[in-house]
Amino acid sequence: MVWRRGYSRSEIQELLSAIERQAAEAVRLADRAQRDIGHDRFSSFLDFRRKVEEVRALLTLTEERLGGINGARLSDLRSEFERMDLLLMGMMARATRGYFASMREDQVLPIGARELFEPELRVIDQTRERLGRPQYEGRVLPMVLEDLEATSEMIRKTINRAPALPDFSDSPSPPRPVKRLRTLGRPIRQ
């Protein structure tokens, strides 16, 4: 038996307010990241991504809580959530596109940039999937889909020219424990 707590209207409103606050902070961080890319600083992008993940977590939590409530009881909050969700996905898509668009073709990328930007492709795919849900049918602005597509292409180009983290392993597979145990007893050369 699964026990499900009923959530009050004020709790859902509190979550929606928290989403708005976090989204405003994400926009501020996106602007900073876009300015910093001109100076070859990538740490601002990490701050932006962390904030986006916080917003996404709040969206997921709010959606879960709305799903556990009688449909007629809080339909106005559900429609407000959907409106906000669409707005935020569009805003994040535009901010991410702006960041990658401001990156120069000849810009030197730090080691590990590939691993930094690869998760962005997954986020874009998840956003497309989310926008394809039935409740958003006909409500998604074409500009948002264009932003996602253009950003995906820019990220792929960036990843193709970005250096990966170095591989310091001796072999493609990790050593077996038996081999390590045999070498433990060997004296260290001086």
Side-chain angles (χ1 to χ4, degrees):
M1 178 170 126
V2 177
W3 180 76
R4 216 172 194 172
R5 177 182 180 262
Y7 296 99
S8 71
R9 181 176 191 80
S10 64
E11 287 174 312
I12 302 296
Q13 286 173 326
E14 229 175 87
L15 282 171
L16 291 173
S17 295
I19 291 170
E20 284 185 78
R21 285 191 307 275
Q22 295 295 323
E25 179 69 13
V27 169
R28 188 184 67 72
L29 290 170
D31 291 341
R32 190 177 96 202
Q34 197 168 345
R35 280 192 311 269
D36 287 353
I37 192 66
H39 302 291
D40 294 334
R41 289 185 286 202
F42 293 86
S43 63
S44 299
F45 181 74
L46 292 175
D47 294 338
F48 167 66
R49 287 308 312 149
R50 275 191 289 275
K51 188 55 69 176
V52 167
E53 288 307 312
E54 287 176 22
V55 171
R56 288 178 49 159
L58 276 172
L59 284 169
T60 301
L61 177 67
T62 306
E63 186 174 38
E64 176 190 297
R65 290 195 176 170
L66 280 169
I69 295 176
N70 181 354
R73 205 171 110 204
L74 295 176
S75 63
D76 62 325
L77 289 180
R78 188 170 284 110
S79 61
E80 174 64 17
F81 168 78
E82 290 173 1
R83 184 195 66 77
M84 191 180 295
D85 192 21
L86 280 171
L87 178 70
L88 290 174
M89 284 189 282
M91 198 169 56
M92 297 306 171
R94 193 172 30 247
T96 306
R97 181 179 185 174
Y99 177 80
F100 283 98
S102 62
M103 195 177 288
R104 296 182 323 270
E105 288 289 323
D106 66 341
Q107 188 159 18
V108 177
L109 299 171
I111 292 176
R114 179 179 306 231
E115 288 78 9
L116 174 67
F117 298 136
E118 281 176 343
E120 293 306 306
L121 291 174
R122 285 189 296 276
V123 170
I124 288 173
D125 289 340
Q126 290 168 352
T127 302
R128 276 193 200 124
E129 184 180 307
R130 191 172 178 98
L131 290 172
R133 291 180 178 175
Q135 70 260 32
Y136 297 135
E137 189 175 329
R139 296 172 60 190
V140 179
L141 296 173
M143 184 176 67
V144 173
L145 297 174
E146 289 170 16
D147 284 342
L148 290 172
E149 189 58 39
T151 305
S152 179
E153 186 59 35
M154 285 185 259
I155 292 171
R156 280 187 178 81
K157 285 181 182 176
T158 302
I159 287 173
N160 286 337
R161 67 184 183 88
L165 287 173
D167 182 7
F168 292 110
S169 66
D170 291 335
S171 64
S173 61
R176 295 188 322 212
V178 175
K179 187 177 180 181
R180 278 198 317 243
L181 289 175
R182 277 188 289 163
T183 61
L184 270 175
R186 291 188 185 159
I188 300 173
R189 294 186 201 169
Q190 297 207 353

